[in-house]
Amino acid sequence: MTKQKINIVDTTLRDGSHAVSHSFTVEQVEAIAGGLDKVGTSIIEISHGDGIAGASINYGFCQTNEMELIRAARKVIKNSKLGVLLIPGIGTIEDLKEAREDGAEVVRVATHVTEADTGIQHIQAAKDMGMMAVGFLMMSHMASPEKILEQAKIFVDAGADYINIADSAGYMLPDDVRARISLVKNSIDIPVGYHSHNNLGVSIYNSIAAVEEGATYIDVTCRGLGAGAGNTQNEVLCAVLDRMGYDTGVDLYGIMDLAEEVVEPIMQRPQIIKTAPLVIGYAGVYSSFLLHTYKAAEKYNLNPRDILIELGKRKMVGGQEDMIVDVAYELSQQK
């Protein structure tokens, strides 16, 4: 019997950028991208953590220009597809054109889960450029399965090649994932993918739930490097999927060695579930708020979890990083 193919989308060099304060160097990108290509990764995503053109005071500056990093990755990627993330309102079609010229083949157009219409023109532009285009619905715990399906269909109609459902807060539990993936998978004619954060410690379980409901593109990072408590850990998921009889196309020993010998040495801290990332998952807060929250808590002498709980109450979403300082200031005045 032919094994079901699961496409592994490694976003160490994009989501992992959050965890290293966007400090990736050309040499690190070449080593990681080259290694991911060698072991059989389907798509390798690279850009600022908040997508191309994300480098800013609001989101944090890159140590090295991301287009230079994309070019560096292009030189060493021979078999995998090179991808970027684009959040409308941060990145533009002109930025996408530049990334395409530098070698990007895939773009994942990421919008808030209820705002797919803001990405229509970007999906269409990507297809006009000959790129694979993905509709990426962030913070999917904030919408019902039916609402997610409605938004997914907007991306389908725009020409997307697959739909990615993202648990950007690491808030969902397996039944939440199953409900969303199964409805979308059974209602559209293009593939479905899933992106998870490990803030509640269930990203592997959630990713398996997505696969069992028909998702065929799964996001991962080496050593779990990523925003919040990190992402689904590449080498662990590949081992589990192999045990379950799925075909990832990834050399298991190779991805283990890459994670341990290349990625782990550049990590600024162990990717574990500390209190603040745990609260991110518990409160349903955007995972990339973590480092911004740490800074605000230090400035105003607050416990980071108090800030995160308040952000969750206010239903803050990606793009509202500037509000973290405002919330911290307000809390400090209540002490």
Side-chain angles (χ1 to χ4, degrees):
M1 184 174 72
T2 302
K3 293 183 178 181
Q4 171 69 50
K5 176 65 188 294
I6 303 299
N7 297 280
I8 297 299
V9 181
D10 189 282
T11 184
T12 303
L13 293 169
R14 199 278 301 168
D15 214 325
S17 182
H18 290 296
V20 297
S21 300
H22 313 297
S23 64
F24 285 126
T25 66
V26 166
E27 292 74 22
Q28 290 168 346
V29 165
E30 289 178 343
I32 295 170
L36 289 169
D37 180 72
K38 185 177 180 180
V39 302
T41 309
S42 295
I43 300 173
I44 302 169
E45 185 173 73
I46 176 170
S47 61
H48 183 281
D50 290 285
I52 52 176
S56 63
I57 291 176
N58 202 32
Y59 304 114
F61 290 101
C62 296
Q63 178 173 309
T64 304
N65 181 278
E66 64 185 338
M67 295 301 172
E68 183 177 352
L69 298 181
I70 291 170
R71 291 193 293 272
R74 179 72 277 162
K75 291 178 182 177
V76 298
I77 292 175
K78 309 300 180 185
N79 302 299
S80 306
K81 288 184 170 65
L82 173 57
V84 295
L85 186 85
L86 184 149
I87 300 177
I90 297 177
T92 67
I93 290 174
E94 289 304 313
D95 296 318
L96 181 59
K97 288 179 180 177
E98 184 177 359
R100 176 61 169 154
E101 290 169 358
D102 288 333
E105 303 166 277
V106 181
V107 61
R108 304 203 298 172
V109 178
T111 74
H112 184 62
V113 66
T114 57
E115 298 175 0
D117 60 318
T118 64
I120 293 173
Q121 61 183 318
H122 305 80
I123 294 284
Q124 293 173 340
K127 297 305 296 181
D128 289 343
M129 295 178 209
M131 300 181 76
M132 180 180 184
V134 181
F136 191 107
L137 294 169
M138 299 188 291
M139 298 291 280
S140 290
H141 74 281
M142 296 182 74
S144 68
E146 292 75 19
K147 185 65 174 180
I148 291 172
L149 175 59
E150 170 195 292
Q151 297 296 301
K153 287 180 176 179
I154 293 173
F155 278 136
V156 172
D157 291 343
D161 292 290
Y162 81 85
I163 302 299
N164 215 57
I165 296 173
D167 183 11
S168 314
Y171 177 87
M172 290 197 285
L173 299 177
D175 284 350
D176 302 319
V177 176
R178 290 185 185 280
R180 287 157 173 78
I181 296 292
S182 61
L183 180 61
V184 175
K185 172 61 181 175
N186 292 326
S187 304
I188 63 175
D189 295 326
I190 62 174
V192 175
Y194 176 67
H195 174 102
S196 184
H197 284 265
N198 198 40
N199 299 327
L200 292 179
V202 291
S203 65
I204 292 289
Y205 194 175
N206 283 350
S207 296
I208 294 301
V211 166
E212 290 180 337
E213 295 300 330
T216 52
Y217 287 84
I218 302 294
D219 287 11
V220 295
T221 63
C222 292
R223 275 297 185 265
L225 186 68
N231 298 82
T232 303
Q233 193 167 335
N234 188 335
E235 60 276 18
V236 177
L237 182 67
C238 286
V240 173
L241 289 174
D242 184 72
R243 284 281 308 276
M244 294 178 70
Y246 291 97
D247 173 23
T248 66
V250 174
D251 171 43
L252 186 55
Y253 279 16
I255 193 62
M256 289 178 180
D257 291 344
L258 178 67
E260 184 163 308
E261 298 170 8
V262 180
V263 175
E264 185 173 326
I266 69 174
M267 293 171 65
Q268 297 180 354
R269 62 191 64 81
Q271 198 74 67
I272 60 176
I273 307 173
K274 300 180 72 173
T275 298
L278 174 59
V279 172
I280 282 178
Y282 176 78
V285 176
Y286 197 53
S287 290
S288 64
F289 282 7
L290 180 62
L291 298 186
H292 300 284
T293 298
Y294 280 147
K295 292 177 183 178
E298 182 178 4
K299 180 176 181 179
Y300 292 104
N301 192 29
L302 296 168
N303 189 312
R305 65 186 172 199
D306 291 333
I307 301 174
L308 291 166
I309 289 292
E310 184 63 24
L311 292 169
K313 289 179 180 177
R314 299 189 187 193
K315 300 187 182 299
M316 296 295 184
V317 300
Q320 294 183 299
E321 282 81 354
D322 56 322
M323 292 297 297
I324 296 172
V325 173
D326 292 349
V327 168
Y329 174 75
E330 290 178 22
L331 291 176
S332 72
Q333 297 305 297
Q334 298 169 16
K335 293 179 65 176

